[in-house]
Amino acid sequence: MGKSSVLFGIIAFFICFNGNMLSIHSEASSSEMQVHFIDVGQGDSMLIKTPGNKNILIDGGPPDAGKKVVSYLNEKKIDKIDLLVATHPDVDHIGGLPYIMKHIKVKKILDSGKLHTTRMYAKYIQEIRKQEIPVKVAKQNEKILLDPAVDIQVLNTYKKSRSNNQSSIALKMSYEAMDILFMSDVEIEQEKEIMKNVDVDAEVIKVGHHGSNTSTSLKFLKAVSPDTAILTYSKDNDYGHPVDRVINNLYRVNANIYSTGALGNLVIRTDGEDYLVLPEREPLYNLDAS
């Protein structure tokens, strides 16, 4: 398929499927929220289980991670995703989504609206159209109505002339006194804009762009003042992630650092007041395995 054909199909897709505000009402509830940072190698995939028994999946990692994410969801006895957030069209974020959509029921999708002409993005769009999954294009500062116990706000999304990373959907998720930032691949310029519009103070931050030098300014981290920082990357990546500057900035704000590269899958469990970070592996695993 040529680039022009792909682009035309994608534009038509968004015209047909862009709906109204996302609203999914909760029924039964519990007192715990769980946030799972799935180890998909060099990429992102996060599962949130809300107190109202709703399931949110943010991204699906690279193409070869699709099976792992589905297996992980099956292990957790999850057979549906109430909201799938596709933060932006880079392959390490949407690559696994076509496989995931084929094997797990997806009720709604929140997309950045950033168009792309890669074959991988075309596969993502084609699977959505095949299953007729409702899609909403994210709007900056909008609230996502999913579970009454959890506030979800869009901090960043696509604007004209922005790159894929700059168009990333960033979210602030709040459950009672617990705040978590999901920064996707946003860059320092977007961090500046976000700080102007939103109180970014949070207990936990999913660090932007896998610890790349494009993101995570010290000024932004001081505004966030996180107790815990989560880094998602492969320890064998070719990009030098995470860079020393980002790690030093995290140390300067006294954040406890956890990474999927070193510790595998990570789970945060919270009652809205306190929280636990539960790593799959011991910190010395990589030393023992080498």
Side-chain angles (χ1 to χ4, degrees), residues 11-285:
I11 292 171
F13 160 78
F14 277 112
I15 291 173
C16 292
F17 282 84
N18 188 15
N20 297 319
M21 177 180 287
L22 288 172
S23 180
I24 310 170
H25 296 289
S26 175
E27 295 90 19
S29 64
S30 66
S31 61
E32 182 180 84
M33 183 170 77
Q34 296 182 14
V35 182
H36 300 245
F37 299 87
I38 305 171
D39 179 13
V40 292
Q42 188 64 23
D44 271 6
S45 187
M46 285 80 70
L47 166 71
I48 297 96
K49 299 180 69 176
T50 76
N53 297 319
K54 296 298 182 182
N55 300 314
I56 304 167
L57 185 69
I58 303 176
D59 290 335
D64 60 1
K67 290 183 179 180
K68 179 170 185 177
V69 174
V70 168
S71 176
Y72 190 90
L73 296 176
N74 289 339
E75 288 174 9
K76 306 302 177 187
K77 301 188 185 306
I78 293 173
D79 57 8
K80 68 176 174 64
I81 297 298
D82 296 288
L83 177 63
L84 171 62
V85 180
T87 62
H88 64 295
D90 280 354
V91 68
D92 57 328
H93 292 256
I94 66 160
L97 293 184
Y99 185 90
I100 293 167
M101 287 187 281
K102 288 176 182 176
H103 294 84
I104 302 288
K105 172 67 176 176
V106 175
K107 297 178 71 173
K108 290 180 183 287
I109 294 176
L110 184 68
D111 189 279
S112 68
K114 173 65 175 174
L115 304 180
H116 208 29
T117 55
T118 60
R119 289 183 180 275
M120 190 69 255
Y121 189 64
K123 288 181 180 179
Y124 160 71
I125 295 298
Q126 288 164 2
E127 192 60 36
I128 294 172
R129 297 186 67 176
K130 179 180 179 181
Q131 297 191 33
E132 299 184 344
I133 303 171
V135 174
K136 171 72 168 62
V137 175
K139 296 179 180 178
Q140 191 158 338
N141 298 323
E142 76 173 318
K143 298 292 182 69
I144 305 303
L145 306 178
L146 180 70
D147 181 333
V150 180
D151 293 326
I152 306 172
Q153 184 175 4
V154 176
L155 305 183
N156 187 77
T157 188
Y158 170 68
K159 288 182 181 178
K160 188 176 179 180
S161 77
R162 283 186 175 179
S163 69
N164 287 356
N165 289 340
Q166 294 165 353
S167 300
S168 296
I169 296 175
L171 300 172
K172 182 174 184 178
M173 192 170 297
S174 303
Y175 172 41
E176 297 186 8
M178 180 73 177
D179 300 305
I180 305 175
L181 296 183
F182 298 90
M183 296 308 297
S184 188
D185 282 3
V186 300
E187 297 182 356
I188 289 174
E189 196 59 37
Q190 287 72 58
E191 293 174 355
K192 293 177 183 177
E193 294 181 22
I194 291 169
M195 284 190 290
K196 291 178 183 177
N197 299 316
V198 180
D199 177 9
V200 294
D201 182 79
E203 283 69 35
V204 177
I205 182 171
K206 199 293 290 183
V207 174
H209 202 186
H210 321 289
S212 163
N213 200 41
T214 62
S215 313
T216 320
S217 69
L218 181 59
K219 185 176 182 180
F220 182 70
L221 284 179
K222 285 181 175 179
V224 177
S225 187
D227 300 317
T228 297
I230 307 294
L231 285 158
T232 54
Y233 64 90
S234 167
K235 65 185 181 68
D236 299 320
N237 76 84
D238 297 324
Y239 306 101
H241 298 161
V243 299
D244 291 343
R245 180 187 63 79
V246 169
I247 297 300
N248 290 335
N249 284 350
L250 291 169
Y251 285 149
R252 290 179 68 178
V253 296
N254 298 314
N256 295 307
I257 303 171
Y258 297 82
S259 75
T260 55
L263 302 172
N265 302 319
L266 299 165
V267 181
I268 293 177
R269 298 176 60 177
T270 178
D271 61 1
E273 297 294 331
D274 302 311
Y275 68 97
L276 290 172
V277 181
L278 305 172
E280 177 185 34
R281 299 194 292 257
E282 295 294 330
L284 297 180
Y285 170 85

